[in-house]
Amino acid sequence: MRKFILLLCIATFMISCGGSKKVTSSRTIRPKPNRTIITSTERSITKVVIPDDVVEEPKEKPLPVLSYKDKIQRYIYEFSEIAKSEMKTYGIPASITLAQGILESGAGYGELTQRAKNHFGIKCHEWTGDRVYHDDDRSQECFRKYKAASESFRDHSLFLRDRKRYSRLFTFNKKDYKSWARGLREAGYATDKKYPQKLISIIERYQLTKYDDEVLGRRAPKTEDNDVDKVITVITTVPNNTAYTVQKGDTLYSISRRYKISVKELKTYNKLVDNHIKIGQVLKVTAADQEEEEDFN
């Protein structure tokens, strides 16, 4: 009996000791990472929009400084062939085309001509091509812009041919430049009341009808010796490389072009104080110490 009680006490003691042990786990509990919420903030970007029709114009070589008379001679030399070609195709007298070009473009030196190669002051109207804005009768009027002068001459021909108000012009004789000049004003091409007289004056002073005669196959009338300054021709023969004898129809500009020198140089070589020359006058076309003609090509 005593043994039973002793065993019971030992068992009770062992059970009570085993229940007091703490149970540990070998599993490691990892801390949960903090959740970071990233919110994107919208950046405002300002874009500079450049219109498609705004094009930076390339800088062109400036034209030479000339007197107004020499500017006109230069203009005729450069564009007479185009005017004759337009006359053959569309029937507009070359003299009228040249006179209008000289007057409207300032002999090629006008701002509109320099910016847009517009030689005739033609405004946009129904034009869908390139354009520029220029002060004329009103501020910042729209004018047509061309890539080349020849395009301006062609558009001028089409402008007159395709508009009904100019149809009467084509009933005039191609030799009757005075009727063409007056008809342009009457049809509303220009607002200047003296427009016809200005065209006629240019045609007669520079004898532009000779280009009409060339197209029509007529021989140009002979001019008097004292009209030498009014005639513009191109030299086709060269006597020698150091001097040239002035012929009828020569000008300082035409001679300088032929010998590839400037008018200023030609005047310096010959100690000229103005642009007047006379038939038979011998002009030096090279510097005194220059043996050969300078090659500018």
Side-chain angles (χ1 to χ4, degrees):
M1 186 66 178
R2 291 179 177 177
K3 290 181 179 181
F4 176 75
I5 294 171
L6 179 62
L7 290 172
L8 181 63
C9 291
I10 293 170
T12 303
F13 176 77
M14 291 181 65
I15 291 172
S16 63
C17 290
S20 64
K21 286 185 177 180
K22 293 183 180 180
V23 180
T24 59
S25 174
S26 62
R27 188 175 64 180
T28 304
I29 301 175
R30 298 179 179 177
K32 293 183 179 180
N34 294 328
R35 295 178 62 190
T36 304
I37 300 175
I38 301 175
T39 58
S40 60
T41 58
E42 184 178 355
R43 292 184 300 169
S44 59
I45 302 175
T46 304
K47 295 183 178 180
V48 179
V49 180
I50 302 176
D52 294 336
D53 59 348
V54 176
V55 180
E56 184 177 354
E57 299 180 7
K59 294 182 179 179
E60 296 188 5
K61 185 178 179 180
L63 293 172
V65 178
L66 301 172
S67 67
Y68 184 63
K69 183 176 180 179
D70 285 340
K71 289 177 183 178
I72 293 177
Q73 291 172 345
R74 181 179 187 272
Y75 191 92
I76 295 169
Y77 179 83
E78 289 189 4
F79 300 113
S80 58
E81 290 301 319
I82 297 178
K84 287 163 59 178
S85 176
E86 294 300 310
M87 181 178 179
K88 292 175 183 176
T89 305
Y90 296 100
I92 302 167
S95 59
I96 286 291
T97 300
L98 284 171
Q100 280 195 281
I102 291 168
L103 184 59
E104 297 285 349
S105 74
Y109 280 70
E111 181 185 351
L112 181 61
T113 305
Q114 292 296 298
R115 291 177 58 202
K117 292 183 172 61
N118 188 327
H119 285 246
F120 299 93
I122 299 180
K123 298 178 182 178
C124 289
H125 300 292
E126 71 283 359
W127 181 254
T128 58
D130 293 339
R131 59 193 63 199
V132 296
Y133 295 88
H134 177 74
D135 292 343
D136 193 54
D137 296 329
R138 290 175 298 202
S139 175
Q140 293 298 289
E141 293 191 79
C142 182
F143 287 86
R144 303 182 182 191
K145 182 179 181 181
Y146 309 95
K147 295 180 180 179
S150 58
E151 293 181 5
S152 179
F153 276 77
R154 175 54 53 89
D155 194 38
H156 169 261
S157 298
L158 296 174
F159 188 83
L160 297 182
R161 187 200 66 175
D162 295 341
R163 281 166 174 71
K164 187 176 180 180
R165 61 176 174 160
Y166 297 113
S167 60
R168 183 168 173 264
L169 295 173
F170 294 89
T171 65
F172 299 141
N173 192 303
K174 294 181 179 63
K175 297 179 290 184
D176 188 3
Y177 62 90
K178 292 184 178 179
S179 292
W180 276 82
R182 298 187 186 103
L184 283 166
R185 169 70 177 84
E186 292 170 359
Y189 191 96
T191 57
D192 186 356
K193 293 181 179 180
K194 295 183 179 180
Y195 193 76
Q197 288 79 7
K198 291 179 180 179
L199 293 181
I200 293 170
S201 176
I202 293 172
I203 291 171
E204 293 179 347
R205 181 174 182 182
Y206 295 95
Q207 297 188 356
L208 300 183
T209 54
K210 73 175 182 178
Y211 300 107
D212 301 336
D213 294 336
E214 290 174 8
V215 174
L216 298 173
R218 299 171 66 241
R219 181 175 295 181
K222 293 183 178 181
T223 59
E224 298 296 331
D225 291 351
N226 57 6
D227 288 335
V228 62
D229 290 330
K230 297 182 180 180
V231 184
I232 297 87
T233 57
V234 180
I235 301 170
T236 57
T237 59
V238 182
N240 56 60
N241 292 329
T242 60
Y244 177 75
T245 303
V246 176
Q247 308 293 320
K248 180 185 291 188
D250 290 340
T251 64
L252 288 180
Y253 180 73
S254 62
I255 296 172
S256 68
R257 284 296 295 259
R258 181 62 184 87
Y259 285 94
K260 299 179 182 179
I261 58 178
S262 67
V263 173
K264 183 178 180 179
E265 287 175 319
L266 187 58
K267 291 171 69 175
T268 300
Y269 297 160
N270 295 276
K271 299 180 180 180
L272 300 176
V273 296
D274 54 35
N275 295 332
H276 293 292
I277 54 177
K278 59 183 178 180
I279 297 174
Q281 182 177 355
V282 178
L283 297 177
K284 296 178 182 179
V285 292
T286 60
D289 58 349
Q290 186 175 0
E291 296 181 358
E292 296 182 358
E293 181 180 356
E294 186 177 359
D295 185 7
F296 281 78
N297 293 330

